[in-house]
Amino acid sequence: MVESFDPKSLQQWWPKPATPRPIVIFGAGSIVGDAHLPAYKKAGFPVAGIYDPNREKAEALASQWGVRAFASQEEAVAVENAIFDLATPPVAHASILKLLPKGSFALIQKPMGSDLAGATEILKVCRERDIRAAVNFQLRFAPMMLALKDAVAKGLLGEVVDFDAWLALATPWGLWPFLKGLPRIEIAMHSIHYLDFIRGLLGNPLGVHAKTLGHPNHDVAQTRTAAILDYGDKVRCVVSVNHDHDFGRKFQACEFRICGTEGAAYVKLGVNLDYPRGEPDELWIRPAGGQDWVQVPLEGAWFPDAFENRMANLQRFATGEDEQLIGSVEDAWQTMALVEAAYESSASPATPLAKLPEA
């Protein structure tokens, strides 16, 4: 039994590499300027430069951050001893991976392909070219989530038996114009983070029951999802997401509730509330042993600090300082399989209700 614990003792940061390798970034979209570059600068990771087919866009972002804008893909992949950061749309991942030197190390923006077939192609390319790659499911590396997983590993909750992900918020989909017309949005682009984190905490589920749908007020393919992950008869796991709760901040929510046999945890994912400005993340633990709820003082936030932690693990794996590459393409493929199963479940007919007997 855990009598008490020091909330400051929970891990929130991944150890940094002793000698980080230079990072070559493919893509100059908003996520690079909002998360990748701020995180790498904060961590002291050297950025060799940026390549984007839109040269003007790449040069503007590179100038802003004091780095180089590559004139071509060939120039970018020629950087020696580099970590390649593919902050590109899923349809572009495989073609860029094919250009990288054999034996390279790479970080691939989520999702791992547009669908499971795309993920399988990426996995095949990485295997054939011996590219040690991870997928940027960086929620696992957010300070609050590292601390949560550490709390579970230390037995502060006992055995996890309940996981609730509940989102009721207003997401500004217009910030991502490339999503317009895509057939898969909510699970593939957003809830995939939660599915990946759940897999990292609980392992692979036996299956999934899901329904994902759009909203009459806009033309985004899906913005609402309800899913049950089947972990057998002991663990209940539910993901409920509504991106169209656009009625003011008062009753909006973006939170996880994790309950164990002896304790519980509450997580607030602040970045999604009033995005992109966001609110502070929160982590509360009610540990085994009868201690009351304790707020864990967080030292960072999902954005951009999870990107620093994510890159730190990849860098340390490349230098031999870490034995395991968290979220490797082998592991990430299984998250994509879960996403695929959720879409298949959503497309399957529901069990019809019995008809009322005639009088």
Side-chain angles (χ1 to χ4, degrees):
M1 178 179 291
V2 180
E3 297 297 336
S4 63
F5 86 106
D6 177 6
K8 294 182 180 180
S9 69
L10 298 176
Q11 178 189 5
Q12 297 190 34
W13 296 99
W14 204 267
K16 290 187 176 66
T19 307
R21 294 186 175 194
I23 300 169
V24 172
I25 301 175
F26 286 84
S30 61
I31 192 66
V32 176
D34 293 342
H36 293 245
L37 289 169
Y40 302 159
K41 182 177 181 179
K42 181 179 178 181
F45 297 157
V47 175
I50 302 170
Y51 171 76
D52 193 284
N54 185 330
R55 181 71 183 274
E56 184 178 344
K57 189 176 181 181
E59 288 180 343
L61 187 60
S63 175
Q64 180 183 344
W65 287 90
V67 299
R68 176 184 178 186
F70 295 109
S72 66
Q73 293 187 59
E74 292 73 21
E75 192 175 66
V77 301
V79 176
E80 294 184 2
N81 209 33
I83 301 287
F84 297 101
D85 186 358
L86 278 60
T88 47
V91 294
H93 296 339
S95 61
I96 296 173
L97 289 167
K98 291 175 182 178
L99 295 175
L100 302 186
K102 290 184 177 181
S104 295
F105 294 87
L107 180 62
I108 303 169
Q109 178 61 26
K110 64 85 189 170
M112 184 182 168
S114 301
D115 51 26
L116 189 59
T120 302
E121 181 186 5
I122 289 169
L123 180 61
K124 181 180 179 182
V125 172
C126 289
R127 286 174 172 176
E128 289 176 346
R129 300 186 63 78
D130 190 29
I131 295 174
R132 275 67 60 83
V135 177
N136 203 1
F137 292 129
Q138 81 293 129
L139 180 57
R140 293 196 197 192
F141 289 89
M144 58 184 169
M145 296 311 190
L146 288 177
L148 171 62
K149 189 164 186 181
D150 194 21
V152 171
K154 290 177 176 175
L156 297 178
L157 277 61
E159 183 181 359
V160 175
V161 292
D162 270 288
F163 192 111
D164 278 301
W166 179 42
L167 285 77
L169 40 78
T171 297
W173 295 103
L175 292 177
W176 306 283
F178 72 90
L179 297 178
K180 187 175 180 63
L182 294 182
R184 292 182 170 186
I185 301 295
E186 205 292 310
I187 300 176
M189 297 291 187
H190 187 92
S191 285
I192 191 171
H193 279 301
Y194 314 139
L195 298 180
D196 181 73
F197 178 79
I198 291 168
R199 281 192 57 253
L201 188 69
L202 301 177
N204 282 334
L206 301 173
V208 60
H209 308 274
K211 183 67 177 180
T212 187
L213 63 162
H215 191 279
N217 285 353
H218 48 64
D219 59 358
V220 179
Q222 306 96 27
T223 58
R224 297 174 292 162
T225 297
I228 299 172
L229 277 63
D230 183 359
Y231 281 98
D233 296 332
K234 186 170 287 187
V235 179
R236 183 187 69 93
C237 184
V238 178
V239 177
S240 178
V241 180
N242 178 9
H243 290 277
D244 295 287
H245 197 278
D246 196 7
F247 307 102
R249 174 64 183 90
K250 186 173 178 62
F251 292 114
Q252 290 180 346
C254 187
E255 56 195 33
F256 291 172
R257 287 179 172 84
I258 303 94
C259 301
T261 53
E262 300 178 57
Y266 169 88
V267 181
K268 172 185 168 184
L269 294 80
V271 70
N272 288 330
L273 297 163
D274 192 22
Y275 188 87
R277 182 170 59 181
E279 298 178 7
D281 296 328
E282 293 182 22
L283 172 61
W284 294 75
I285 304 283
R286 189 185 188 282
Q291 190 174 347
D292 200 0
W293 285 96
V294 178
Q295 185 171 10
V296 176
L298 296 175
E299 302 168 4
W302 181 1
F303 281 58
D305 298 308
F307 291 77
E308 174 182 335
N309 287 328
R310 166 68 278 180
M311 178 55 74
N313 169 239
L314 176 55
Q315 288 267 4
R316 286 173 58 88
F317 181 75
T319 59
E321 295 167 276
D322 278 357
E323 293 184 3
Q324 183 183 9
L325 179 59
I326 308 297
S328 68
V329 287
E330 305 283 340
D331 179 70
W333 186 93
Q334 297 178 69
T335 293
M336 296 298 294
L338 177 54
V339 168
E340 191 72 24
Y343 277 109
E344 289 181 8
S345 175
S346 183
S348 300
T351 302
L353 276 61
K355 294 183 179 179
L356 182 69
E358 296 181 2

